[in-house]
Amino acid sequence: MKLLEYQAKRQFDRVGIEVPSGRLARTPEQAAAAARELGRVAIKAQVPIGGRGKAGGIAVVDTPEEAHREAVRILAMEIRGYPVRSVWCETGLEIAHELYLGITLDRDRRRLALILSAAGGMEIEEVAATSPERIAKLWPDPFAGPRPFEVRELAFAALAHAPALTEARGRLASALVPLAQTLYRLAVELDAVTCEINPLALTADGRLVAADGKLEVDENAEYRHPELATELALDLEGEDGRTGEDPYEAEAKRRGLTYVHLPGGSIGCIGNGAGLVMNTLDLIQQVGGRPNNFLDIGGGANAEKVRTSLAMILTDPDVRGVFINIFGGITRGDEVARGIVQARDELGITVPLVVRMTGTNEVEGRRILAEAGIVPGTSAPEAARKIVELVGGAG
Amino acid sequence: MKLLEYQAKRQFDRVGIEVPSGRLARTPEQAAAAARELGRVAIKAQVPIGGRGKAGGIAVVDTPEEAHREAVRILAMEIRGYPVRSVWCETGLEIAHELYLGITLDRDRRRLALILSAAGGMEIEEVAATSPERIAKLWPDPFAGPRPFEVRELAFAALAHAPALTEARGRLASALVPLAQTLYRLAVELDAVTCEINPLALTADGRLVAADGKLEVDENAEYRHPELATELALDLEGEDGRTGEDPYEAEAKRRGLTYVHLPGGSIGCIGNGAGLVMNTLDLIQQVGGRPNNFLDIGGGANAEKVRTSLAMILTDPDVRGVFINIFGGITRGDEVARGIVQARDELGITVPLVVRMTGTNEVEGRRILAEAGIVPGTSAPEAARKIVELVGGAG
Amino acid sequence: MAILIDVSTRVLVQGITGREGGFHTQQMQAYGTQVVAGVVPGRGGGETLGVPIFDTVAEAVARTGADTAFTIVPPAFAADAVMEAAAAGLPLGICVTEGIPVLDMVRATAFIAGTPMRLIGPNCPGVMTPGQAKIGFIPNHVGRPGRVGVVARSGTLTYEVIQGLSESGYGETTAVGIGGDPVLGSTFVDILPLFADDPATEAVVLVGEIGGSDEERAAEWIRSSGFDRPVIAFISGRTAPPGKRMGHAGAIISGSTGSAQGKIDALTAAGAAVADTIEEVVRLVGERLAP
Amino acid sequence: MAILIDVSTRVLVQGITGREGGFHTQQMQAYGTQVVAGVVPGRGGGETLGVPIFDTVAEAVARTGADTAFTIVPPAFAADAVMEAAAAGLPLGICVTEGIPVLDMVRATAFIAGTPMRLIGPNCPGVMTPGQAKIGFIPNHVGRPGRVGVVARSGTLTYEVIQGLSESGYGETTAVGIGGDPVLGSTFVDILPLFADDPATEAVVLVGEIGGSDEERAAEWIRSSGFDRPVIAFISGRTAPPGKRMGHAGAIISGSTGSAQGKIDALTAAGAAVADTIEEVVRLVGERLAP
């Protein structure tokens, strides 16, 4: 779950990380009012995706009239598929230097990594690739968090590559200690897998200010942060309910399904387990078919979930056949079979259904399917060939 | 720094630990109003010391009139030297069982210990001495705090000795997990060296409620909790400024000195370092003198602190001579000597001063004293004999 | 021979009275796995499926000599259950729970690093040593005692590979589903050395998928350790669109190390044979096994 | 011979530019202690008292080969400084800071338990090996190379004992002030074994005080280890009123283990000679040393 910039900044502000003054505007009038209050501001499109600056989603304005005009323009935009629902109107900063401070999950180390660089801004990834020594990293103890001396070591390592900051490094290191500790505590509190300040602005008068913010919350931990999910949903869905996501994926999310749409494909795909479904897609492609989607019913799905999944897939009229690939482990074949038969009968499915079923309770599952006139296979590659035969190849 | 019961309960309430409803009353009228609002209440004297129940400092009342009458009585009390400044008026609980839950510093393990017993109430210390198996202990990781499974293990161990709670043990263990974690977090947040709920009441309807509370904050960490110190000072000092402490000690605290009064003694004692001062007291006693106080100027004291210390000691007219015992390490002899001479001259001290001075900068220090007519010794036992000779022995 | 579990393994089930816990305990019992204890706080002293229940893992271990924890409890409680099993001194834990918050696993893996436990999972199908024992979800009928070690991230592909190897007659020594989460108790590089120490394992099938760098690190280990048995690898998710989340939290393409091609290249360079399909996996195994 | 520090010890001072840090660095230099580095964040590259300053301990160690940290920084920063020195791999730290919050020391001692560091202090006078080196506050002129080991909680009583032993001609191998706080890096039982391993130490003086159970544990160690040299003990605070706080946070009488008499009894039972005065300490040492 990726928060919007203004939501991330609201979190920063709550825990005491300085952010520029700003107002959220959902209408041009609100943007004009913000400019009236704050003076010169940047009008920034609020979309959960990068590259909005290049796309024209940011404008700096001097007057309320300009603010109104630019807000009209930006609020009408759609950036990489996301309609702009709101703009963040923010005062500018006198920036002396741009740093980078971020926290992200490091799978290999099984810890959060705290990353600091004196080379902040847009090119941080390039810096990381070409001058890795300019990126200082720390993997704090998961229980203690970053200790002051660890942050100082990180700071002196990062600042060693910024001659302009040599004089100020002691003061900066001292200021970075509470900032990094606070950011880390925030990441842990919110179950963030990414929590980033870039640029972290060193202002002309020596303050450290979060000029931009990214916060992504672990989806497995959303249940611990219902307020964030609610807030984000309000912001992403306008009055028209458009979220900027693929409409099929938005619908699937509403139905609680793990679904990825592959527009233009003709074969609907259902399986139990992400690896199996990914492999199902690969198999279809290998024999010349075009999958329409990825749908993982997960482990232990019941008949109802199978029914819902089939109904979901068939909302895309491009789907001309469905491949259901089940290797039961925690999932039980009989449950799946019941769901398939129910769905076919209740939804009046007429496109071909090819079922591959093996694993837990497969005997009972295959009996249920056979009695309903659906002949299941046991080999996935064979079943893939069969569905492609029935639907026709790519194109 | 020991908080009063109501202050501890206010902290419990703030972090979500249930406490009985109550109101603080500094006047009988307020106590009557509390009884009007809450109905049957206990009127409990707020003093930073145990044994108030036996001393008559708690009364249960049914009506506002009774509340008024009992508050008049209790607010006039002095319990073990502490005048009662306020009463806590609290609704009763239907208690099914009394447990004990406490946190305290364990020096040997270098950790906080979390202690749980199903034998809560007044006799917990006796239980600990006679049936230690009924007291379950846990030393949580200082960074992670108590983990749920650790608290469950603690709970099952403690509840194994309470047959009446066998049926409820699963539910109780579940409820104790967040309670113990919250209490531990509170102790860490407040730098508490003792944080205790006794009794922890299991009510007839199955809730766990903190029926009494003790909270003692590490004095070295008071600077991190100025609001607590301020609050406590307000509560201990009434309008007459009486704190219930020894008046000399209260005065010394105001002057920022580490001072313990030993009423009736005739020899004032000053030294640098707690061990040295304790030994000074022992030396005086061994040769038949009676020390009047313990005053540790600490490490690195300057002349001003020495002057303040001498002035403090002489506020007790019983002091008929002063023994100043300095073995300079971080403390410098010249600084101490200057302070002694200044104090004598400015305060017009006439009682005998015996100084023993050795250690860091002793040459310069002894020169300053000698020039001012004070002849310092270098042996502590000899100096002790000399001051006792000058002042006269015990009695 | 086998790795991790065998006929002597004594299993303790955390969550034995849950719907899934009960079902899979029965499946394990049917397979012949020794299930010696269940742990359900507050229900100690009871019994289910012929298995005694205890309030705590420590007590269960003391009373039954259990040596392996099978953790099948809801995600909010799973990390704590794993830590309890580790604190009780169990040398092996297998956690199948899906959906555990990743920072819970960060803390749990840090905790168990200070204990004797080796953790498999979470979000994994478990472990099977055909003919001896299985712990987890792997369907009872797919395995067959044999010559090939299997280590896989995806649960269902683990089943596919086992079935393929069994039907072709090669069979498995032990099959290990390590799980698909970003933070795992054991990754390929933790399991491969166990196969290296098992003389009965004549070849190893490694089933990876997009995301993370576990496959690259496995390739590096194969190369640097001089692992002397054939490795046949399979990487799923090759047609996955970049940046799309594919259900497994870990299966997100991130940088060059996460891509299917990067993994295939790394494994190939380390001398592994990389197959395009499960059928090809089985064929390549057959070509490499001694006749 | 000596324990902990000797003529080869290379000291790094944390807080060298502070008022006290500077003064005591000069005292140590005057005594002949090798002070090789100072650490003051943000002032790396500078120099004071002829000693180079670094931003971090890690850098100071890498550049100067320092092997011992002397920590003399304000209480709010002291625990962190100690951890920094421990993380940098230093085998010995001596922290004299008084007034550190006790939970800071709980965390710091837990942290250094996972590092090579042995910590002396905090709130201690430091360590002196007469004629070789001293770190901390012990006055330069009191020590004299000799035959007796000293370990003491109180700072000033450490000085008294050293002076007494020196003036009587016995002298010291090493004197260690372990400090008076409730949570200490090293207690008597951590230091006594070092004297046991030092052939030059012919007797040990142990100076305890009321509060805590360190003296009782020392008695237990003396008894159970078969320590073969005479121990002369002194316990201060015998006239202290119970329950009164005596300045040292640790010196609060709490239960029977904390009382002066309990400590005296335990030490006597373990075979130690317990003196009533410092003068008697010296006399008892003399009686027990070989002529």
Side-chain angles (χ1 to χ4, degrees), chain B residues 308-327:
Chain B
T308 311
S309 299
L310 262 169
M312 175 67 228
I313 279 180
L314 293 165
T315 55
D316 183 351
D318 285 352
V319 172
R320 299 202 307 273
V322 179
F323 179 10
I324 302 171
N325 189 358
I326 301 297
F327 201 133

Side-chain angles (χ1 to χ4, degrees), chain A residues 107 218 220, chain C residues 102 123 180-182 209 245-252:
Chain A
R107 295 167 57 126
D218 173 21
N220 283 351
Chain C
V102 70
N123 192 13
D181 272 8
E209 64 186 33
R245 187 185 164 94
M246 282 296 179
H248 274 167
I252 302 168

